[in-house]
């Protein structure tokens, strides 16, 4: 059934009804393609100009444009991801949008189809009043895994004066968020019978030394690495695998660590930090041998609190709601970091609480969706005035 132009709730319910679990996270999951094509049908009917980008086979980005695209006109980008995480252990039907006590429940309702619906409707409403500029809506794939969607968007050469990523922020303006690095340490020992302490080398003990070294780092040095909106940097041990039996010295143990970074911390700094920990253990412990990699690094994101897009969004919120939203940092990572790195100032603002993202119970307050829509509409009008 067609969605009436500007009906944000109907659009949200339609998107939540579609299973768009990320196949990088859930084996055999359908991915975002069907959701993207349904959204394209809606936005095409509303007058958007549509283009497609294939980030990978069967993993499309939908780029929808509306407004005046003449050279030199202002351009505002709205960005959001269509993929969702798995549904194991959810307390309600994941893909049956259900309204209860003013909130809409369903996987992806908060993270982040509420934000997708708000930004699409806001762009349409702003264009209906006439724009002297262009609003681009980018509904991307794969943010929950490797962000191949926004990486492809950036690689395509997309340009905008600024961007709002409509991740759930409880309607706070979030100009900064943390980054992270995944580190995998493989500790090598010598397998031997449990009675042969003279020849056995315990790989698990080496891994424990790494974990304790990071624990000490997190409790001391990293507490001094701070940002005005983001508290301090942190680290935790994520998984550990090793050993083959009660009576055998383990010859191998794999420890995975996640390091959360703040603006100013670089990939090289995290690399060197890990190298120092490994070198210290190998130097101090006879027989210790450790190899390691950094499979993934995602940079933090930081936009000045007085940047034009921050001021414009705050003014739009004040005009639309008669209140000025708080300015906060996000602990989680978002695609805003990739857009900032590409020279597009990107901040986060959207309905819902990030604490409900990936949760067994996920919902978004419908009033927040409506408020976000009104604020983003005003922002688009003002930015493209």
């Amino acid at each position: 059934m067609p969605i009436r132009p500007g009906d944000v709730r109907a659009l949200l319910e339609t998107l939540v009804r579609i299973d768009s679990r990320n196949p990088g996270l859930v084996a055999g999951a359908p991915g975002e393609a069907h959701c993207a094509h349904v959204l394209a049908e809606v936005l095409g009917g509303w007058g958007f100009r549509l283009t497609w980008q294939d980030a990978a086979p069967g993993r499309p980005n939908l780029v929808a444009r509306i407004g005046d695209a003449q050279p030199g006109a202002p351009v505002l980008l709205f960005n959001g991801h269509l993929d969702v995480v798995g549904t194991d252990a959810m307390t309600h039907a994941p893909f049956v949008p259900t309204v209860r006590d003013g909130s809409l429940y369903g996987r992806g309702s908060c993270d982040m189809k509420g934000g997708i619906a708000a930004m699409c409707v806001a762009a349409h409403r702003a264009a209906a009043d006439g724009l002297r500029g262009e609003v681009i809506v980018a509904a991307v794939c794969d943010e929950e895994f490797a962000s191949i969607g926004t990486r492809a968007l950036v690689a395509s050469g997309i340009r905008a004066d600024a961007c709002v990523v409509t991740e759930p922020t409880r309607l706070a303006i979030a100009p900064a968020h943390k980054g992270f690095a995944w580190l995998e340490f493989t500790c090598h020992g010598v397998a031997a019978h449990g009675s042969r302490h003279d020849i056995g080398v315990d790989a698990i003990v080496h891994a424990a030394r790494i974990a304790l070294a990071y624990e000490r780092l997190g409790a001391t040095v990293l507490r001094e690495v701070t940002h005005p909106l983001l508290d301090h940097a942190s680290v935790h041990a994520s998984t550990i695998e090793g050993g083959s039996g009660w009576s055998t010295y383990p010859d191998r143990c794999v420890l995975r660590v996640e390091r959360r970074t703040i603006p100013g911390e670089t990939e090289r700094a995290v690399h060197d930090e890990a190298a120092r920990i490994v070198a210290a253990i190998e130097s101090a412990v006879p027989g210790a041998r450790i190899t390691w990699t950094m499979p993934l690094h995602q940079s933090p994101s930081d936009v000045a609190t007085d940047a034009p897009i921050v001021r414009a969004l705050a003014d739009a919120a004040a005009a639309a709601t008669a209140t000025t939203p708080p300015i906060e940092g996000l602990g989680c990572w978002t695609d805003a970091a990739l857009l900032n790195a590409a020279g597009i100032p990107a901040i986060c603002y959207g309905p819902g609480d990030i604490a409900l993202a990936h949760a067994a119970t996920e919902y978004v307050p419908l009033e927040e969706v409506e408020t976000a829509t009104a604020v983003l509409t005003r922002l688009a009008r003002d930015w493209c005035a």
Side-chain angles (χ1 to χ4, degrees):
M1 180 170 135
I3 297 174
R4 178 173 53 84
D7 190 338
V8 68
R9 175 169 166 177
L11 179 57
L12 173 56
E13 290 178 344
T14 296
L15 297 177
V16 169
R17 196 171 284 117
I18 300 169
D19 178 358
S20 57
R21 287 174 296 157
N22 189 315
L25 299 173
V26 181
E32 313 86 352
H34 179 50
C35 195
H37 281 90
V38 170
L39 183 60
E41 184 177 352
V42 173
L43 297 186
W46 290 2
F48 285 77
R49 303 179 295 276
L50 308 180
T51 57
W52 291 95
Q53 298 173 347
D54 284 328
R59 308 293 299 279
N61 290 337
L62 171 64
V63 181
R65 302 169 183 264
I66 200 164
D68 187 351
Q70 67 179 347
V75 180
L76 179 64
L77 174 64
F78 291 150
N79 172 280
H81 64 87
L82 292 173
D83 60 317
V84 302
V85 298
T87 58
D88 292 349
M90 288 195 73
T91 62
H92 51 87
F95 304 115
V96 180
T98 304
V99 176
R100 187 166 65 248
D101 298 327
S103 294
L104 189 141
Y105 288 71
R107 177 56 88 219
S109 57
C110 173
D111 185 21
M112 58 173 291
K113 291 177 178 178
I116 292 274
M119 71 187 197
C120 291
V121 171
H124 175 265
R125 289 181 182 174
D129 293 335
L131 293 174
R132 296 182 180 178
E134 184 179 43
V135 179
I136 305 173
V137 169
V140 302
C141 65
D142 194 53
E143 189 272 352
E144 297 289 6
F145 185 60
S147 289
I148 62 172
T150 293
R151 292 182 194 280
L153 186 72
V154 167
S156 74
I158 195 165
R159 300 308 307 159
D161 301 308
C163 175
V164 177
V165 180
T166 56
E167 290 275 7
T169 66
R170 296 174 291 104
L171 302 181
I173 298 173
H177 67 64
K178 290 184 177 181
F180 68 91
W182 290 348
L183 299 135
E184 182 174 282
F185 299 89
T186 301
C187 301
H188 306 276
V190 176
H193 190 276
S195 65
R196 295 302 307 272
H197 60 83
D198 55 327
I199 60 173
V201 177
D202 192 336
I204 293 176
V205 169
H206 298 334
R209 289 188 172 98
I210 297 171
L212 288 173
Y214 270 113
E215 182 186 41
R216 288 191 294 270
L217 183 76
T220 55
V221 175
L222 298 189
R223 288 187 176 273
E224 304 302 318
V225 182
T226 62
H227 181 277
L229 297 179
L230 293 172
D231 197 9
H232 58 77
S234 63
V235 65
H236 73 275
S238 302
T239 67
I240 188 167
E241 303 165 5
S244 59
W246 287 94
S247 296
T248 304
Y249 275 80
D251 65 348
R252 185 175 183 273
C253 183
V254 177
L255 172 70
R256 297 181 181 90
V257 168
E258 183 180 69
R259 172 75 155 80
R260 289 280 165 168
T261 59
I262 64 169
E265 291 193 289
T266 64
E267 182 177 4
R268 169 53 60 181
V270 175
H271 177 281
D272 291 349
E273 181 182 88
R276 287 193 298 271
I277 288 173
V278 169
I281 293 171
E282 290 184 330
S283 172
V285 181
R289 186 168 69 88
I290 302 162
T291 55
W292 63 280
T293 63
M294 189 188 299
L296 181 63
H297 174 270
Q298 299 279 37
S299 296
S301 187
D302 197 18
V303 171
T305 56
D306 62 350
I309 185 59
V310 177
R311 296 199 310 268
L313 183 53
D315 290 345
T321 69
T323 59
T324 301
I327 295 179
E328 301 176 354
L330 279 177
C332 65
W333 188 87
T334 80
D335 279 348
L338 300 176
L339 294 159
N340 269 313
I344 302 174
I347 63 176
C348 295
Y349 171 84
D353 189 337
I354 194 65
L356 297 174
H358 308 188
T361 301
E362 182 176 357
Y363 61 86
V364 63
L366 289 170
E367 184 177 3
E368 288 191 16
V369 177
E370 292 285 359
T371 299
T373 304
V375 170
L376 294 173
T377 301
R378 182 61 183 254
L379 172 67
R381 288 171 179 160
D382 293 347
W383 193 268
C384 296

